[in-house]
Amino acid sequence: MFYMKISIYQYLWEQSIIRLHGRYHEMAPNVVPMDYTKDPDVKLPMQLIINMPELKENPFKERIVESFSEDGEGSLSFNDFVDMFSVLSEMAPRELKAIYAFKIYDFNTDNFICKADLEKTLNKLTREELTAEEITLVCEKVIEEADMDGDGKLGFADFENMISKAPDFLSLVILWEDEEMSENH
Amino acid sequence: MSQPPSITLHVPEGSESDGQEPSPDNERALHTSFHQLILEQSSLIEAGLELELQERSRESPARLATPDACAMAWSEPGQGEEHPSYSSASLQILASMPSRTIGRNLGAIISQYCNRTARLRRRSSRPPLQQLCRAARPSLRQYDLETDPTRATLEEKRRLLVKELLSLSPSQCSHMLLTMPLSLAEKRILRRQLSGQRGPLRQHTHHWAPFSPCGWPKVCIVLPWHYALKQIGGRFGSSVLSYFLFLKTLLMLNFFSFFILLAFVVVLQAVYPPASVSPQPFTGLELLTGAGYFTHSLLYYGYYSNATLNDPCTSSPPGSVCPLAAPTLPYNLPLAYLFSVGVSFLVTCILLVYSVSRSFRESVGSSTGDLAIKVFCTWDFKVIQRRSVKLQCENICTQLKVQELGSAEHPRPQPCMIALSIAPLGPAAVQRDKTLLQTQSGSGSSATALLQELLVEQRSRSRSQSRCQCLGHCVVMLLAWVLALGLVSGCVLAVHYFSGHMHMVQQEQQAQDSGRWQQEAILLVVPFVVSLLNALMPHLFNLLALWEKHDSPGTQVFVAIIRNLILKMVVLILLCYQWLTRSVICSTEKCWETCVGQDLYRFMVMDFIFTLMDTLFGELIWRLILEKRLKTKQRPEFDIARNVLELIYGQTLTWLGIVFAPLLPAVQMLKLLLLFYIKKTSLMRNCQSPSKPWQASRMSTVFITLLCFPSFLGAAAFLSYTIWSVQPSENCGPFRGLETIYKSGKSWVLVLEKSNPNITWFAWVYQHLLENTCLLFFVSVALIAVIYFNIQVVRGRQRVICLLQEQIANVRQEGHGTPGAGPAEATETKYLSNENRLQELGLFSLEERQLTGDLIVSKEVSEDGLGSAPRCPAKGQEATGRN
């Protein structure tokens, strides 16, 4: 019943949420109760969550977790946890993904992707193999290209406008497939 | 469900402006009223702006230009522009005109969605246009919500949103909740409030099944290999995935052809079997050769009868008079055969054209190598394997390096044209006209060239210094092409003479009456040789490419594709020629169509075997060698281009053979199914993802175009030729005794005319319209005209986008004109009115800010229209109209 309640708000199956709960429970068996009907106030720290196989190799793992945590510190309650997998599932719409992708790339959470954010993004994308000059050059170019309103940084409108030109975006921002679910069907 | 739009009007400020809108008829008047509205508002919202301005001017004056919560409120009155003469689509676009802001804080999100809900409701209830003019002006209200923190607390906003949500239908409401970027806890609070006011929502949940995962099981059953595809995508990224998706598309195409032929021809023939020749014993070699036991089976053309199936007369000898009347619904098999093949081709054609256009639409944006997109939209979140992640990083790194170097040297593209005609944009824009003429900022974002082109250009520039080198390179290229074409023609000649020779050998064998095994094995030699050539030549071409030293990996891939394609197509054309002239096909007394079908079957089987061998040796053994002998961690790469070309080749064979062997699509389906699992297993165990950068959506467009253009069109031409002007066999198949296959349709029309005078019009239509070349000519002219028109529309939109981009650039330059305002001045100007304060600070005037926002949105709209050109002409007109 509880899972059903949650699945109303999410792009996930009820069974997927049950399975997600299993994964959540697995990470800290003595903290997370199996019975969630009373909606206990439990949060898992970021260190546990970024060690999940889905996130482990992702260069943006910390940002992903932070974007979905209610307190902004990176610890996720089960609700946040489900939120994360719902938005990064394949059924979530483009707009929702764009919003969270923007949050992920917005490192300093000032609601703009500024130069510092861009530099961090680039470093993570290339494993810091670009030189500092190259990075600045790319940053300038990116801002020049995508900044429509001329404030020297990218707001969400800029970001969304840019994403609308990238046909692959929707298929790329998928973190997780519920494997057993898909297998059954 | 549809409530009157009264709710939109219950806001305090709403009533004020109701009467003031003059509902103007021309743009000019419209903008004056627009202007008034702004002035009027500015007095209402001083408090809000003050706060905002203080915090803002402390950072940077330029920041004021952002269309954030504040600017959004200003550009909002754009909705007042709605004109009764606009189409409803335009009105909808105008209603969404102000730039959006998301992700500020919880309250902002809630209030934004509140507005969006209001918009949705208005749209769904569809008030008459006159009313809409008034109702669609939520600007004041929205401003209130977003910038006045004292009045609208979080709780209040939530309440408002709930109120708005309540007025929606339950399904819309649930969907709205689903799409909100709020945390689950917040959504639950909202829902609790909702259900508190409306009773439990639960019983409605099934309404929105299509939006929710709960509605998906059916779809998931239909989609085969869902999980397998995800797994591949997860480990190798979308480039390798595109191969498997292509395979799936082919499977779907074959399924449709197969289904049509099965239902209308094969099953009926199986139910009414003709007097059968005693079947030859099954030996097992038939699976390879398709001859022997299979010759007289449903697999081939020769087995099908030319009779009307449920006609009782067919069983009696042809000379005798039939005593019984014809059945009420005679099933004429030749006709069914002809039409099924025709329909299956038509269906395939439609599906192909559809997928080509869709894939074009998808890749239209990606073809411009925007650096920003490279940075933000290339990371494949699916990839979770450490090695693949590393590879992806390296890929992105090289791509960025190349692009950045390229764009650093690349001269700025000239601005397209100076915008002269923006007068209708409003009073502000009229003033800017002069400055527009003077200033031109670079529209760097509009045209960054393709990655490969950049590289080529860059290299060619560095080369141009030494002419000798350039010349040498050209000579090498030319030589390589001559060599490649020479190789191809050599292959073709070899195949030609070899097949002639093998035919002779076979005839001799037959004359000597040697063993059946031997006879059949000889049949396999030609397909074997052709497949061998097909397998070996790509490697030779690769050697050539190594020698050529292509500038960019992109060109290299394309050159390889073109060469392989030429080889395959020329060999196929030769084979088709041989089949149709019956020069090397079985002896005259036999059914030549069956022979062609068998030949095609053999080619397909051989192709499959060679693909398996390639997988075995090229991937498995090679990996073992690499691992055991060379002790490297590297694995063989999965060559997407070559593999896709092999698929295209196999599919061409299927299409060629559909008349001669109606069950060939089934064989192809089986082949594809096996191929999928074999390739997947091999990929998982042996391969690594390709190291070259690979633009998945662009390449899949190329491949589907290749499938459509040389492959499908060639097969269609071949079949039409067969049907129209080749005489079918005298003594077998559904069309025996006819001059051409096409005649069967014609004679049927005559019979129809004779038997039933009521439908003479049908015969008339057939004779005068279908057989008339004039009409065909006109139809094709009309088609070309439509295509031309569409191209022009797209071009026009591109121009509009270009103009809008310039305007945006210009407006923003205006904004940067006097960036002198510091934080100290900001405190002084606190007590001035908004307009004056902005002027003091040397920032955008309100109109300008609003203009910028609107420009950006109209550009987005036009780009939208460009992306999906056939769907919404209204959007494009709107954008043009505003210019």
Side-chain angles (χ1 to χ4, degrees), chain A residues 9-10 12 59 70 83 90 95-96 105 111 125 134 138 144-145 147-151 162 167 171-172 174, chain B residues 66-67 103 116 178-179 184 191 213 226 362 371-372 375-377 379 381-382 404 412 445 808 812 816:
Chain A
Y9 311 100
Q10 304 294 347
L12 291 175
E70 190 83 335
D83 254 341
E90 60 178 334
E95 198 182 3
L96 205 61
Y105 293 126
N111 294 313
L125 276 178
E134 282 171 327
V138 172
E144 188 188 328
E145 260 175 28
D147 185 18
M148 301 290 292
D149 47 21
D151 55 357
M162 180 188 69
S171 61
L172 290 180
I174 294 175
Chain B
T66 53
R116 203 175 289 187
L178 198 63
T179 51
L184 206 125
R191 187 167 278 266
H226 186 74
E362 275 172 15
L371 203 59
V375 173
F376 289 115
C377 308
W379 186 258
F381 282 74
K382 283 195 291 277
E404 157 211 325
R412 251 329 133 54
S445 59
I808 292 167
R812 98 183 182 205
H816 287 311

Side-chain angles (χ1 to χ4, degrees), chain A residues 138-157:
Chain A
V138 172
C139 283
E140 277 168 14
K141 287 279 159 205
V142 168
I143 287 184
E144 188 188 328
E145 260 175 28
D147 185 18
M148 301 290 292
D149 47 21
D151 55 357
K153 51 197 167 187
L154 309 182
F156 182 72

Side-chain angles (χ1 to χ4, degrees), chain B residues 321-487:
Chain B
V321 183
C322 181
L324 294 163
T328 45
L329 272 172
Y331 196 86
N332 191 340
L333 192 75
L335 267 184
Y337 199 96
L338 188 63
F339 280 127
S340 310
V341 170
V343 167
S344 76
F345 255 75
L346 198 73
V347 167
T348 313
C349 182
I350 291 169
L351 285 175
L352 260 183
V353 168
Y354 172 70
S355 36
V356 167
S357 68
R358 199 183 51 185
S359 125
F360 259 109
R361 204 154 55 201
E362 275 172 15
S363 70
V364 84
S366 72
S367 57
T368 59
D370 264 334
L371 203 59
I373 291 175
K374 282 262 148 59
V375 173
F376 289 115
C377 308
T378 41
W379 186 258
D380 203 337
F381 282 74
K382 283 195 291 277
V383 176
I384 53 173
Q385 210 191 20
R386 179 184 283 263
R387 195 186 308 148
S388 301
V389 167
K390 207 175 158 199
L391 214 74
Q392 207 180 345
C393 282
E394 281 164 12
N395 261 351
I396 290 174
C397 191
T398 41
Q399 285 189 44
L400 282 177
K401 268 184 185 164
V402 166
Q403 183 119 6
E404 157 211 325
L405 283 174
S407 56
E409 280 184 33
H410 201 65
R412 251 329 133 54
Q414 285 296 310
C416 326
M417 257 183 68
I418 293 170
L420 284 171
S421 54
I422 57 158
L425 271 174
V430 177
Q431 290 161 13
R432 306 281 153 244
D433 258 7
K434 297 168 212 145
T435 42
L436 258 180
L437 279 169
Q438 295 158 4
T439 55
Q440 263 311 327
S441 76
S443 52
S445 59
S446 70
T448 27
L450 289 178
L451 187 120
Q452 285 87 9
E453 284 169 26
L454 284 175
L455 198 93
V456 171
E457 198 173 318
Q458 193 194 331
R459 293 254 173 106
S460 65
R461 198 176 297 144
S462 63
R463 279 229 180 120
S464 62
Q465 289 150 2
S466 56
R467 287 211 161 190
C468 261
Q469 269 186 344
C470 180
L471 203 71
H473 188 68
C474 281
V475 169
V476 166
M477 285 261 283
L478 204 72
L479 264 179
W481 270 104
V482 168
L483 214 64
L485 292 180
L487 276 173

Side-chain angles (χ1 to χ4, degrees), chain A residues 53-71:
Chain A
E54 281 87 357
L55 288 169
K56 201 168 182 189
E57 295 300 325
N58 198 313
F60 298 104
K61 53 190 172 189
E62 289 94 0
R63 277 306 304 155
I64 295 176
V65 175
E66 272 167 21
S67 321
F68 285 94
S69 85
E70 190 83 335
D71 54 8

